[in-house]
Amino acid sequence: MRPEAQTGHLPVSQSPAVHLPVLYTQVLEGLRVIENGRYLDGTFGRGGHARGVLTQLGPEGRLLVMDKDPEAIAVAERDFAPDPRVSIFRGSFAQLLQWNETAEGLDGVLFDLGVSSPQLDVAERGFSFGKDGPLDMRMDPDSGESAAQWINRVEDREIADVLWTYGEERQSRRIARAIVARREKQPFTRTAELAELIASVMPRGKDKIHPATRSFQAIRIHINRELADLEAGLDAAVERLKPGGRLAVISFHSLEDRIVKQYMNRLAKAPPANRRLPEAQAFVPTLDLIGGAIKATDEELAMNPRARSAVLRVAQKREADA
């Protein structure tokens, strides 16, 4: 999840009051914005990080923003389109190689993963079990099938696999069987229906989170192909980065962070040698890691408790002869 705290204003373009996103200062420090650089925000959201980058760019700098959510793109068009330094593209960051604006190379790329607070806060988007709305969950409501269409169509085994793989839900099979039994009487159409069904079959425990938390996360990740897009987006970002350019990724749960960490390590560190095998070709690193896992400060957490799960990782593309 990409939570944002309403903590201040930034004078960018002709923007109204804005939200300061999580790890704002750490992201800008990690990207190390240069005045005439070219930067991509692959998850525009409501533009908090993008505004910060833009304030540090000079007249020759460029900011490219992407998002597959049409509401986010509408905000970008309203607040950023008048600035000649900005270009806007509706689509997943997994598609960044298809955008001609990235072909010149990038000095920095930011991915702020997961669902944003504005998406969660609007019941009609169907992301939140805490707000009753249509069971949709699509970040791009014009593409693919909704959560309701999927959950009313597939077998219980597929539902269980998704809940376990993407939500690490231990009761995945029990929940899947209950979903299939319930939909035979009446198909699911609302978030509250699904949340109540899950809560009704979950054993009572000491866990303070809502019983549907992991299941909703899993279904959302599956519907939006979030982990597959992440893997494709990381490859594309590194390909487009210029030598010395930086990749910054904010994750909000362990599945995402594990992919990011392992990806960066794979391109930065030689794999362990196996003395039983012939010596392989010498490892040539592509990235340098910039620090380790970066988390919110106590001060930020006091203002925005939702930032507690955020983890930022930064890597820099190596020079060709480095």
Side-chain angles (χ1 to χ4, degrees), residues 6-321:
Q6 190 172 10
T7 55
H9 304 281
L10 291 173
V12 178
S13 299
Q14 297 177 351
S15 173
V18 300
H19 298 281
L20 194 63
V22 299
L23 300 172
Y24 175 82
T25 301
Q26 296 93 323
V27 164
L28 293 183
E29 290 175 350
L31 288 174
R32 198 180 56 179
V33 179
I34 56 177
E35 185 178 10
N36 296 326
R38 193 176 188 89
Y39 294 86
L40 170 72
D41 183 343
T43 46
F44 177 81
R46 290 303 179 265
H49 291 114
R51 288 182 174 90
V53 172
L54 201 55
T55 59
Q56 298 188 17
L57 291 178
E60 302 302 316
R62 293 286 291 167
L63 174 63
L64 314 181
V65 300
M66 303 181 71
D67 207 297
K68 54 186 177 182
D69 186 332
E71 294 181 9
I73 292 299
V75 172
E77 295 283 359
R78 182 192 71 199
D79 295 348
F80 284 68
D83 194 317
R85 300 172 296 171
V86 178
S87 292
I88 301 168
F89 179 91
R90 179 182 171 186
S92 166
F93 53 63
Q95 301 171 285
L96 72 88
L97 293 178
Q98 301 172 26
W99 189 12
N100 290 338
E101 286 277 8
T102 69
E104 295 182 26
L106 301 166
D107 295 288
V109 176
L110 170 65
F111 297 157
D112 185 4
L113 305 176
V115 62
S116 66
S117 287
Q119 290 169 328
L120 278 175
D121 292 340
V122 178
E124 287 71 25
R125 298 302 300 273
F127 287 103
S128 176
F129 49 78
K131 296 180 174 65
D132 184 34
L135 186 58
D136 194 311
M137 297 195 193
R138 289 174 294 178
M139 293 179 181
D140 180 355
D142 300 326
S143 178
E145 65 180 345
S146 69
Q149 290 170 326
W150 177 77
I151 211 166
N152 288 319
R153 174 180 63 82
V154 299
E155 296 180 357
D156 59 345
R157 179 178 297 180
E158 182 173 342
I159 296 172
D161 286 348
V162 165
L163 300 188
W164 171 252
T165 303
Y166 300 135
E168 299 177 319
E169 174 53 71
R170 295 180 180 179
Q171 302 296 328
S172 59
R173 292 181 181 178
R174 175 187 290 191
I175 293 170
R177 288 194 297 267
I179 287 172
V180 171
R182 157 66 165 74
R183 80 186 187 196
E184 289 179 356
K185 301 175 183 177
Q186 182 179 359
F188 290 92
T189 61
R190 310 287 295 181
T191 56
E193 295 170 350
L194 180 58
E196 290 168 5
L197 182 279
I198 294 172
S200 72
V201 301
M202 289 284 282
R204 295 186 178 274
K206 298 179 180 179
D207 202 336
K208 295 181 180 179
I209 68 171
H210 190 283
T213 299
R214 287 182 288 269
S215 295
F216 267 63
Q217 171 189 294
I219 295 168
R220 189 205 80 219
I221 289 173
H222 174 73
I223 290 296
N224 292 287
R225 290 177 44 84
E226 291 178 40
L227 301 189
D229 277 8
L230 174 57
E231 292 172 348
L234 290 170
D235 279 336
V238 172
E239 182 173 335
R240 282 291 190 255
L241 277 176
K242 301 175 184 177
R246 290 194 170 186
L247 171 63
V249 185
I250 302 174
S251 306
F252 287 90
H253 60 73
S254 60
L255 294 175
E256 295 171 337
D257 184 54
R258 190 179 306 133
I259 290 173
V260 175
K261 179 181 179 179
Q262 291 177 350
Y263 181 86
M264 290 183 173
N265 284 342
R266 188 167 68 249
L267 296 187
K269 301 177 180 180
N274 188 333
R275 292 178 293 179
R276 297 181 180 181
L277 296 177
E279 185 175 354
Q281 185 176 358
F283 174 76
V284 179
T286 305
L287 299 177
D288 287 320
L289 304 181
I290 307 300
I294 301 169
K295 298 186 178 183
T297 63
D298 291 340
E299 181 181 5
E300 180 175 358
L301 290 175
M303 294 186 294
N304 183 14
R306 288 182 175 181
R308 66 187 179 277
S309 59
V311 177
L312 169 66
R313 295 186 186 274
V314 181
Q316 179 171 304
K317 191 169 184 179
R318 281 199 162 203
E319 302 287 344
D321 58 350

